[in-house]
Amino acid sequence: QVHLVESGGGSVQPGGSLRLSCAASGFRISDYNMGWFRQAPGKQREGVAIADRFGSLNIAHALKGRFTLSKDTANQTLYLHIAPLELADTAMYYCAADPRGANWIGVGWDHWGQGTQVTVSS
């Protein structure tokens, strides 16, 4: 059974950093497309980063420069490092996985985690 568990969120001040983790089980992450999405209150879900099953690591164009995506296939974990954090980064961050397709709008992804909350405030 596919299972995704996010962790690493928290409350931080602007300029700080966080590393989010997505621990996967029930499948091999090297065989799946993996993604990070976020959703702020009152806003649509937004694609943040995608690690496709061919080995590419991609950050959404508008977020390049502050977000870093990495994947540890041995430990079955996907990471998202954010630095420096900005107020606009406040959102629930979700990990998703799909064995076939990948898209930035989050439609059609087969598996989702419960999310980890990131709150940036001064």
Side-chain angles (χ1 to χ4, degrees):
Q1 184 177 0
V2 172
H3 203 47
L4 300 171
V5 179
E6 302 94 334
S7 62
S11 295
V12 296
Q13 293 184 337
S17 64
L18 283 173
R19 189 180 75 163
L20 308 183
S21 299
C22 172
S25 60
F27 68 103
R28 294 195 307 178
I29 64 171
S30 57
D31 293 338
Y32 274 56
N33 300 300
M34 302 285 294
W36 282 103
F37 296 82
R38 68 183 185 182
Q39 189 164 20
K43 295 189 177 181
Q44 289 188 330
R45 181 170 52 201
E46 175 185 19
V48 176
I50 292 176
D52 70 25
R53 57 193 174 95
F54 305 108
S56 294
L57 303 176
N58 301 288
I59 303 294
H61 181 74
L63 302 176
K64 286 183 178 178
R66 298 190 299 113
F67 288 70
T68 304
L69 180 67
S70 60
K71 185 169 67 173
D72 183 342
T73 55
N75 290 308
Q76 288 278 100
T77 304
L78 186 72
Y79 298 102
L80 183 70
H81 185 255
I82 314 170
L85 280 155
E86 299 177 353
L87 296 175
D89 295 323
T90 296
M92 184 70 80
Y93 284 72
Y94 298 92
C95 178
D98 194 278
R100 297 171 297 276
N103 60 73
W104 291 99
I105 59 174
V107 173
W109 289 72
D110 274 359
H111 308 286
W112 291 84
Q114 292 300 305
T116 186
Q117 178 67 41
V118 172
T119 302
V120 184
S121 65
S122 55

